[in-house]
Amino acid sequence: MPPQRKGAAARVSEDTEDLTRHPLQAILLADSFATKFRPITLERPKVLLPLVNVPMIDYTLAWLESAGVEEVFVFCCAHSKQVIEYLEKSEWISQPNFSVVTIESHNSVSAGDALRLIYERNVITGDFVLISGDTVSNMSLTQVIQEHKERRKKDSNAVMTMVIKQSKLSPITHQSRLGTDELFLAIDPQTKQLLFYEEKTDNLRGIIPLDNALLGDNPSICLHNDKQDCYIDICSQEVLSLFTDNFDYQHLRRHFVKGLLVDDIMGYKIFTHEIHSSYAARIDNYRSYDTISKDIIQRWTYPFVPDVMFSGNSATHLEREGMYRASEIEQSRSARIGPFTVIGKGTRIGNNSNISNSVIGKGCSIGSNVSITGSYIWDSVTIEDGCDIRHAIICDGVVIKSGAVLEPGVVLSFKVVIGQQFIVPSYSKVSLYQQPTVEDSDEELEYADNSSGTVDSSITCTMDTLNREMMSETPASQLGPGGVGHVWSICEGGHEEEWRHSVAPIPADKLAEATQSLEDDLEFLNLDGNALSTSGELKPGRNGTDSEDDDAEDSRDDSIYYEKEVEATFLRAVNENIKVPDVILEMNSLRLSYNMTSADCAGAIFYAMMKQALEIPHATAGELRKNAASIIDAWNNLLKFYSKEIDDQIEVIMKFEEMCLESVKEFSPHFSQILHILYDKDILEEDAILRWADEKKDAEESDKVFVKQSEKLIQWLREASEEED
Amino acid sequence: MDFQVVVLAGGTCKKLLPLVSKDVPKALLPVANRPVLSYVLEQLELSNLKDLIVVVEGEDAALHVGGWISNAYVDRLHVEVAAVPEDVGTAGALRAIAHHLTANDILVVSGDLVSDIPPGALAAVHRQHDAVVTTMLCSAPVSGPTESGSSGGKDKIKKPRRYNIIGLDPSKQFLLHIATGAEVEKEIRIQKSILRAVDQMEIRADLMDAHMYAFKRSVLQEVLDEKDKFRSIKEDMLPYLVRSQMKSEVLLNGAPQAKNGNEKVSFQNNQAVVSQILANASTLSFHDLYASSNNGTALVRRIHKCCAYIASESRYCQRLNSIQAFSDINRDVIGDVSHLSGYSFSAHNNIIHPSAQIGSRTAVGPHCMLWEGSQMGDKCSVKRSVIGRHCRIGSNVKVVNSVIMNHVTIGDGCSIQGSVICSNAQLQERAVLKDCQVGAGFVVTAGSEHKGESLARK
């Protein structure tokens, strides 16, 4: 042990030396690997979307520069050309003491892929800051990096420090003001080590399950529901190699953080750093876009505010009531511009128009009698007379013809045209592009978004060349007379969640609903509690067994579901004539996901086969047997694959027995014959049958029905084996 | 103080066999030559809690306990002794005497508690928060120090033992989660709804339920009535109340019987809530915030508060619920926490009653007690042990880490280590006992050697 220690210590000190020599580095992921900003992100990468008239990536870069980072590696994937082009034109490339290097990839679908690629490039030399290009912050990194290094000196397993911030959740919707889901953290109050991280309410049971072992090492742990993950991580070099070692790590939090927390072999540790007075937030969805925009306007992010030149933003002046105005604005005298509004350069505003709590970009023209509240209007947008726009995001080049109404939560992507007098319903998303048909309905599975990821890039590549014709053929006038654009259908199940992540405030009826569900939740919990207590009223010893019963019930449920899945898979295999190796693949994945043994597999498959045999119409019992025989014949290899071991084979027999007794009594007269068929087909070895018979020897009479039925076969097998001997 | 105290004195606990018997129920087991029950009664008296019901399991045991109390505390405390059937559990015992309860708040304390934590502090915290239940928590004995203390004793506990898993709010005043018994060994399951209301919860494994609770009487009676299957306070009632604190059922059920003196319900009336909140504006607990944050809906959340009083680490708190604990407590009371025993120790840190007789070259070490009328022969050695009244001990006897009760006869050349010898037992010459328990009146034959055995008359 001592020599090892010394080695580690030596390495650490070397590391720190390295750090003093090497500049502070950062990896900026200019791709969120998510689809929450669709359809806008089909045309422009998320990091280039304007946030209060400045592309998001500028906030991130400006902060990194001010925080003393010297080298930034910008990882670009989706729309990488646009990002690189933008950066090359920007002043970031030519800053002294601040180098921005782009790393381009076309086939990364997750943050994990990105980090693996960066690892291969071998550019990271020490501790680094890992952030995505949609982060707005003004925190100082000095302290957190200092803490991180100190910890590293003591414990080389402390590979990451995560920045968190206090954030009170809405008691009703359980989401933060950034629209992110509630987060449950367990932190050691002394060392600030992160012990538990649950981001998604994937566990709907209202219970947080904490590993008992956690308390073994720490006498006390602190559970938090009031923290927000800022997605700013200080990482050690090892993090990159960890991603390479675990090629299935995709998502930074869901896989990497959870993976490290669960893994107790390597003993890597993650620590947290809480910031109190400074600002840090990540734009994750439309709601956080809204919230962070407001925070910027209200100057929480100082010095990154509209009237401070921190990048290529044009000069704006702060006027009373939080109004920012750029130069060259033409505004009618009768137009009223309310508080907390930003108006970009060269925008024209007509008579009697009313604008409040909104951001308006450069070169927009807004007609007369227009009312705009809580909306984000990007550059060169034309809004004709008499429009009513509430809580919408309107991208560059959109034309809204006179009298159109946008209900709250609408997103209009680039160059969409809304026809006259048209009313765009709430939460609509409109784009010139068709909704990709291979839409991955599950937004949560960002990393699994292979399909949409590739669609993304293919669209960007092909669109530029092909889009002319696509655009010229005017898409169906779903958008009123003269309207151009496709209304995206909201993917299944997404609608009820739409209000959570939209820029629009949450409507009252949703709030009421949420409150109700909250009450139901509690009700349910208490019911649950009652159930617990009725089982708990007995002696403690009993208590334990009761809950074991619960567990057993769970697993029983699992196995029922599993059987159903196997049955469905098998049915599909039969109907679609899928080849045996492919079925085996599917079965394997099922088996892994339900955590079943191969014996369970064999049993379930056999069950499915027999069910299938029963499905085929049959007039007599003899036909039924023939059906069974033919099915067994056809899927011989599949069943064999899973019943290689004697135990698996016994399981098949037991399963068959159980079926005959309970669910499918039709087979009971044929038990011994089918057993014989199985034996003939080499699915069952004689050992298996004999051992099954032996096991049943002491069983009750009722259980022995089938042993007796197969008496002959068993007898014959016994004699055969004796002869062999 | 309008508090009624229920002392659950137990009966003849099977775990303590052969130490307990029909004549010596658990409550009367001697700790430093005083019945263990006296330690609780003394603390209650010090806190001016004088209205007591002592609940004993079994009629015989009740007679014995009652007899002793009426002798010892006749003018000092107002004590009723109630007998309940055996094996009804702690909640069952409370249920049996529930109709005797009249005060607004009830303090329930286990009769086998040897502690110097003032019960008054618990009562005060209970009143301060208008809690439904308040639990006394003390630091769980860390295995390390106790082990080293019992150097020659039993090393049965190897792993750090876990007593309770307890969730507290950041101010450490409210009890948010409690897992006991068998649950402790499983994964920790925290209710999200409570965490949501409180934002932060500290989970600790280094605290122990000290078996002293304050209950609001109306709630106590209601829960006992409604949940007739609850057997244990610790395992059933307390977890139930803690679990349902954000969606209180006790009040819901109590609403129709508001006349029944259910002051909690009248408190729940909105105006009272408001005035209460205004009155304590500075100390709004998360409960109040949660209850009032109904966001314009007509819903009034029903909540109740479960509080915790955490005794400071320097306090002593042990329960006499096992033979190991019996030995440990006896050793502690004459050792580290000698102030509890109520005796004044000599310069040698031991107590030898003036009437005790000690032979020549017999050494009685520190942390020992030799009580009245006992005689010791020559060349004996006593270390960290308690010897009761009128024992007759021969010569060349070694007593280490042991408890010897009254009227015990020990022959020459015996060696007793880590053992408990009950009253009227007899050890013949050269008996060697290590980690044994000898029941009352048992005779250990000459020259026999026993290790880790429990010896008792059949």
Side-chain angles (χ1 to χ4, degrees):
Chain A
M1 191 66 198
Q4 211 181 335
R5 268 272 166 80
K6 218 178 263 173
R11 198 161 51 81
V12 169
S13 63
E14 202 177 277
D15 265 9
T16 44
E17 260 172 51
D18 273 359
L19 285 168
T20 47
R21 272 206 310 276
H22 286 285
L24 180 57
Q25 296 176 312
I27 293 177
L28 187 154
L29 301 175
D31 189 337
S32 60
F33 304 106
T35 57
K36 288 191 176 150
F37 272 82
R38 295 276 183 97
I40 302 177
T41 46
L42 281 186
E43 290 162 72
R44 194 184 279 186
K46 184 174 162 193
V47 293
L48 295 186
L49 303 184
L51 184 70
V52 195
N53 294 336
V54 178
M56 291 181 195
I57 196 170
D58 283 349
Y59 287 94
T60 317
L61 286 171
W63 164 61
L64 286 177
E65 190 200 9
S66 73
V69 174
E70 289 157 87
E71 229 178 305
V72 181
F73 296 93
V74 179
F75 179 89
C76 329
C77 183
H79 306 283
S80 51
K81 289 274 178 307
Q82 283 189 48
V83 179
I84 292 167
E85 213 170 284
Y86 176 81
L87 287 175
E88 274 168 1
K89 278 188 199 154
S90 75
E91 53 197 60
W92 297 117
I93 279 309
S94 53
Q95 291 286 325
N97 306 326
F98 186 65
S99 87
V100 176
V101 180
T102 53
I103 294 175
E104 194 181 356
S105 157
H106 293 295
N107 51 7
S108 300
V109 295
S110 70
D113 288 344
L115 294 181
R116 281 185 276 274
L117 190 90
I118 292 169
Y119 179 72
E120 282 166 25
R121 295 284 170 98
N122 223 350
V123 287
I124 297 296
T125 50
D127 289 354
F128 62 96
V129 184
L130 175 61
I131 51 160
S132 59
D134 45 13
T135 309
V136 178
S137 174
N138 59 5
M139 70 174 279
S140 153
L141 285 174
T142 332
Q143 199 198 342
V144 55
I145 288 175
Q146 188 65 32
E147 277 176 22
H148 180 76
K149 284 183 184 165
E150 301 268 300
R151 266 197 291 267
R152 287 275 297 165
K153 266 186 214 162
K154 287 184 205 132
D155 183 354
S156 61
N157 277 338
V159 289
M160 182 162 132
T161 303
M162 188 189 270
V163 177
I164 55 171
K165 190 176 183 343
Q166 177 92 21
S167 154
K168 180 82 183 122
L169 297 178
S170 148
I172 296 170
T173 57
H174 295 159
Q175 63 177 11
S176 66
R177 52 194 290 277
L178 293 175
T180 49
D181 290 301
E182 60 183 341
L183 176 68
F184 291 102
L185 301 176
I187 295 170
D188 183 323
Q190 255 81 53
T191 61
K192 304 289 173 208
Q193 189 187 343
L194 183 73
L195 303 168
F196 177 81
Y197 187 100
E198 187 186 295
E199 171 181 41
K200 194 72 190 154
T201 42
D202 42 14
N203 190 341
L204 288 172
R205 292 159 77 191
I207 296 275
I208 300 172
L210 285 182
D211 188 355
N212 218 331
L214 288 182
L215 271 175
D217 311 332
N218 317 286
S220 91
I221 48 183
C222 214
L223 265 180
H224 294 270
N225 181 40
D226 56 345
K227 299 286 183 262
Q228 168 195 317
D229 189 345
C230 300
Y231 294 93
I232 297 170
D233 302 327
I234 314 300
C235 304
S236 306
Q237 236 179 324
E238 280 96 326
V239 169
L240 291 180
S241 56
L242 273 173
F243 268 97
T244 312
D245 294 344
N246 298 280
F247 53 85
D248 54 342
Y249 282 174
Q250 304 285 358
H251 192 272
L252 279 181
R253 294 292 183 257
R254 226 161 285 151
H255 301 120
F256 175 68
V257 169
K258 283 203 156 177
L260 287 201
L261 291 179
V262 169
D263 175 30
D264 45 6
I265 299 166
M266 302 301 287
Y268 287 114
K269 291 173 188 156
I270 299 173
F271 289 85
T272 57
H273 172 83
E274 189 174 351
I275 52 171
H276 297 281
S277 53
S278 39
Y279 190 87
R282 179 179 164 221
I283 298 151
D284 176 66
N285 52 47
Y286 288 121
R287 183 168 301 286
S288 37
Y289 180 85
D290 177 56
T291 312
I292 294 171
S293 296
K294 285 186 173 135
D295 290 341
I296 292 171
I297 293 170
Q298 292 174 8
R299 307 180 78 76
W300 291 102
T301 58
Y302 189 86
F304 309 115
V305 290
D307 59 329
V308 176
M309 296 270 282
F310 59 88
S311 77
N313 57 345
S314 47
T316 41
H317 297 286
L318 176 62
E319 297 177 7
R320 65 186 164 77
E321 287 188 306
M323 254 183 58
Y324 298 86
R325 283 159 169 282
S327 51
E328 298 163 44
I329 295 174
E330 283 176 45
Q331 183 195 341
S332 150
R333 273 179 180 280
S334 56
R336 281 186 306 278
I337 297 181
F340 301 117
T341 298
V342 178
I343 312 267
K345 188 176 171 185
T347 289
R348 282 179 299 129
I349 300 167
N351 298 328
N352 291 320
S353 286
N354 213 334
I355 301 173
S356 63
N357 286 315
S358 298
V359 175
I360 295 176
K362 290 188 275 288
C364 293
S365 91
I366 294 167
S368 310
N369 298 315
V370 174
S371 149
I372 300 173
T373 39
S375 297
Y376 299 90
I377 294 168
W378 297 357
D379 299 344
S380 315
V381 173
T382 308
I383 299 171
E384 295 183 359
D385 299 352
C387 291
D388 183 9
I389 295 166
R390 277 171 289 154
H391 305 289
I393 293 182
I394 298 169
C395 298
D396 293 3
V398 169
V399 177
I400 300 176
K401 300 239 166 111
S402 55
V405 174
L406 303 191
E407 289 187 343
V410 169
V411 174
L412 301 182
S413 186
F414 298 92
K415 291 180 185 154
V416 162
V417 179
I418 301 293
Q420 267 178 18
Q421 311 287 342
F422 188 77
I423 298 175
V424 186
S426 291
Y427 308 122
S428 305
K429 290 177 179 167
V430 186
S431 169
L432 287 190
Y433 292 109
Q434 297 261 7
Q435 189 163 14
T437 42
V438 266
E439 177 70 28
D440 201 310
S441 66
D442 202 352
E443 254 191 327
E444 280 92 283
L445 292 173
E446 291 153 27
Y447 67 92
D449 243 359
N450 282 0
S451 47
S452 33
T454 46
V455 164
D456 226 356
S457 45
S458 69
I459 280 179
T460 46
C461 302
T462 53
M463 278 308 175
D464 291 333
T465 54
L466 294 175
N467 58 5
R468 291 295 151 223
E469 40 206 275
M470 230 190 107
M471 299 239 232
S472 57
E473 82 178 70
T474 316
S477 59
Q478 294 164 301
L479 298 164
V484 182
H486 298 275
V487 177
W488 282 30
S489 61
I490 293 150
C491 45
E492 243 178 279
H495 191 66
E496 53 197 72
E497 293 302 305
E498 204 66 38
W499 54 270
R500 283 184 177 272
H501 295 153
S502 142
V503 288
I506 300 169
D509 55 324
K510 294 290 178 200
L511 276 185
E513 247 173 63
T515 321
Q516 190 52 47
S517 70
L518 190 72
E519 295 299 322
D520 294 350
D521 233 28
L522 273 176
E523 204 80 61
F524 165 76
L525 254 182
N526 260 20
L527 283 178
D528 187 39
N530 276 354
L532 262 175
S533 54
T534 39
S535 74
E537 87 269 4
L538 298 161
K539 284 181 182 164
R542 284 267 200 95
N543 194 354
T545 52
D546 267 5
S547 26
E548 269 160 37
D549 278 357
D550 279 356
D551 291 349
E553 222 153 74
D554 278 358
S555 63
R556 206 177 312 139
D557 277 358
D558 258 8
S559 65
I560 289 168
Y561 287 129
Y562 171 70
E563 267 173 22
K564 281 197 178 140
E565 289 255 22
V566 166
E567 207 183 312
T569 313
F570 184 73
L571 190 69
R572 204 157 42 78
V574 171
N575 290 341
E576 295 173 15
N577 250 331
I578 300 174
K579 295 232 166 55
V580 170
D582 298 337
V583 182
I584 289 177
L585 264 183
E586 286 198 37
M587 293 290 177
N588 274 344
S589 68
L590 271 180
R591 181 186 138 195
L592 290 177
S593 66
Y594 281 89
N595 197 14
M596 293 292 171
T597 61
S598 72
D600 292 327
C601 252
I605 290 171
F606 183 70
Y607 178 75
M609 285 165 74
M610 289 295 109
K611 268 274 178 83
Q612 184 60 26
L614 200 65
E615 294 289 306
I616 302 172
H618 52 271
T620 63
E623 266 179 59
L624 175 67
R625 200 178 67 227
K626 265 185 205 147
N627 285 344
S630 67
I631 289 262
I632 292 171
D633 199 27
W635 299 96
N636 190 356
N637 286 335
L638 177 66
L639 196 54
K640 257 190 202 162
F641 184 84
Y642 287 104
S643 53
K644 284 177 189 145
E645 301 291 322
I646 298 283
D647 287 336
D648 305 341
Q649 297 170 9
I650 294 176
E651 173 71 24
V652 169
I653 306 178
M654 305 271 245
K655 188 83 205 171
F656 190 32
E657 211 183 346
E658 188 191 312
M659 277 172 72
C660 292
L661 275 176
E662 286 161 16
S663 45
V664 222
K665 294 214 170 69
E666 288 90 333
F667 279 112
S668 45
H670 308 295
F671 183 86
S672 68
Q673 279 129 329
I674 289 174
L675 204 62
H676 200 184
I677 295 171
L678 290 171
Y679 175 71
D680 281 347
K681 297 281 175 208
D682 286 338
I683 292 166
L684 301 181
E685 291 169 36
E686 57 187 53
D687 269 3
I689 299 178
L690 291 179
R691 263 175 58 186
W692 164 71
D694 284 347
E695 266 177 41
K696 285 280 167 180
K697 219 172 250 170
D698 306 320
E700 284 173 37
E701 276 311 302
S702 58
D703 278 352
K704 277 183 167 167
V705 182
F706 295 107
V707 183
K708 282 197 178 137
Q709 202 191 20
S710 356
E711 194 66 48
K712 257 191 185 165
L713 177 70
I714 295 167
Q715 193 64 35
W716 176 71
L717 285 173
R718 285 232 166 89
E719 280 164 12
S721 63
E722 272 161 27
E723 266 172 36
E724 255 171 50
D725 292 343
Chain B
M1 240 195 223
D2 187 20
F3 258 101
Q4 223 172 346
V5 183
V6 177
V7 181
L8 299 174
T12 47
C13 172
K14 290 198 179 62
K15 268 205 269 180
L16 287 168
L17 285 176
L19 271 54
V20 292
S21 62
K22 263 193 197 132
D23 304 325
V24 186
K26 178 177 168 185
L28 297 183
L29 276 179
V31 170
N33 286 319
R34 272 169 54 190
V36 60
L37 188 58
S38 67
Y39 290 86
V40 171
L41 298 184
E42 211 119 282
Q43 286 297 330
L44 290 169
E45 194 185 7
L46 281 176
S47 290
N48 206 19
L49 294 160
K50 294 187 173 174
D51 189 7
L52 272 65
I53 301 176
V54 175
V55 185
V56 185
E57 285 185 7
E59 297 282 348
D60 290 347
L63 276 178
H64 285 289
V65 174
W68 170 74
I69 290 178
S70 54
N71 272 336
Y73 289 93
V74 62
D75 299 324
R76 294 154 66 188
L77 297 170
H78 174 249
V79 183
E80 276 176 64
V81 178
V84 296
E86 290 187 37
D87 280 335
V88 286
T90 44
L94 274 183
R95 198 174 285 123
I97 55 120
H99 55 278
H100 287 301
L101 301 176
T102 50
N104 279 338
D105 294 287
I106 310 295
L107 192 76
V108 180
V109 55
S110 175
D112 56 7
L113 196 66
V114 178
S115 164
D116 55 355
I117 306 166
L122 177 77
V125 168
H126 182 69
R127 280 287 165 80
Q128 183 193 348
H129 292 291
D130 194 36
V132 162
V133 59
T134 305
T135 309
M136 168 94 78
L137 301 174
C138 61
S139 3
V142 188
S143 51
T146 352
E147 285 307 283
S148 63
S150 63
S151 51
K154 306 168 183 182
D155 283 325
K156 274 181 189 162
I157 315 161
K158 296 226 168 78
K159 271 188 279 178
R161 219 167 107 202
R162 204 172 288 160
Y163 296 87
N164 290 115
I165 288 171
I166 285 169
L168 297 166
D169 80 314
S171 69
K172 301 197 199 308
Q173 288 174 323
F174 297 103
L175 187 63
L176 306 172
H177 178 81
I178 185 157
T180 49
E183 284 173 63
V184 175
E185 299 305 322
K186 293 187 291 176
E187 64 178 8
I188 309 161
R189 298 157 66 88
I190 307 290
Q191 266 173 290
K192 281 183 183 167
S193 54
I194 292 183
L195 183 56
R196 278 181 192 129
V198 72
D199 290 341
Q200 257 187 52
M201 185 192 291
E202 195 185 348
I203 297 172
R204 297 177 59 166
D206 58 346
L207 290 174
M208 185 177 79
D209 182 355
H211 288 249
M212 192 190 288
Y213 315 95
F215 285 99
K216 195 173 273 294
R217 191 212 41 182
S218 52
V219 172
L220 178 71
Q221 285 174 332
E222 196 185 312
V223 174
L224 287 172
D225 280 353
E226 300 282 329
K227 313 277 175 190
D228 53 351
K229 284 180 179 155
F230 281 4
R231 268 185 56 95
S232 154
I233 298 177
K234 178 188 158 94
E235 308 264 344
D236 303 322
M237 283 193 57
L238 186 62
Y240 165 75
L241 286 172
V242 169
R243 205 165 42 223
S244 62
Q245 58 183 311
M246 282 302 146
K247 177 93 182 174
S248 176
E249 284 175 338
V250 284
L251 312 170
L252 223 66
N253 299 341
Q257 348 159 341
K259 275 179 202 158
N260 213 2
N262 201 333
E263 68 272 75
K264 184 75 185 181
V265 169
S266 58
F267 161 72
Q268 201 63 31
N269 287 343
N270 281 334
Q271 282 174 343
V273 172
V274 171
S275 62
Q276 171 84 11
I277 289 174
L278 289 178
N280 307 350
S282 54
T283 57
L284 254 190
S285 81
F286 71 95
H287 287 93
D288 301 318
L289 285 173
Y290 185 75
S292 54
S293 72
N294 47 13
N295 289 65
T297 52
L299 270 155
V300 175
R301 291 206 173 93
R302 294 189 174 280
I303 50 119
H304 60 240
K305 294 178 193 169
C306 301
C307 292
Y309 172 75
I310 303 174
S312 92
E313 276 177 39
S314 58
R315 298 285 187 175
Y316 183 78
C317 183
Q318 279 282 348
R319 284 185 66 215
L320 201 167
N321 52 6
S322 67
I323 290 169
Q324 173 75 49
F326 177 79
S327 312
D328 287 350
I329 292 173
N330 265 297
R331 196 185 49 238
D332 290 341
V333 169
I334 53 169
D336 298 340
V337 286
S338 52
H339 61 279
L340 266 178
S341 67
Y343 305 118
S344 49
F345 282 72
S346 74
H348 300 291
N349 244 333
N350 56 17
I351 306 171
I352 297 167
H353 197 271
S355 63
Q357 298 170 17
I358 298 177
S360 65
R361 286 199 280 161
T362 283
V364 178
H367 306 308
C368 283
M369 185 177 254
L370 184 60
W371 215 234
E372 69 180 290
S374 287
Q375 306 169 357
M376 291 193 86
D378 301 335
K379 291 190 201 163
C380 291
S381 138
V382 181
K383 286 177 188 159
R384 295 188 205 213
S385 298
V386 180
I387 297 170
R389 294 176 180 84
H390 306 291
C391 292
R392 278 186 294 143
I393 297 173
S395 301
N396 270 321
V397 174
K398 256 176 89 178
V399 181
V400 181
N401 265 323
S402 298
V403 179
I404 295 168
M405 297 187 193
N406 305 329
H407 305 285
V408 175
T409 312
I410 297 174
D412 293 345
C414 285
S415 163
I416 302 160
Q417 210 182 348
S419 300
V420 181
I421 319 284
C422 292
S423 299
N424 301 318
Q426 191 186 344
L427 269 64
Q428 295 175 347
E429 297 84 59
R430 298 180 316 282
V432 177
L433 296 180
K434 191 168 185 244
D435 303 337
C436 289
Q437 296 88 41
V438 180
F442 188 82
V443 179
V444 181
T445 48
S448 57
E449 277 187 39
H450 297 277
K451 197 175 172 192
E453 281 175 70
S454 172
L455 309 166
R457 275 195 296 198
K458 292 284 171 297

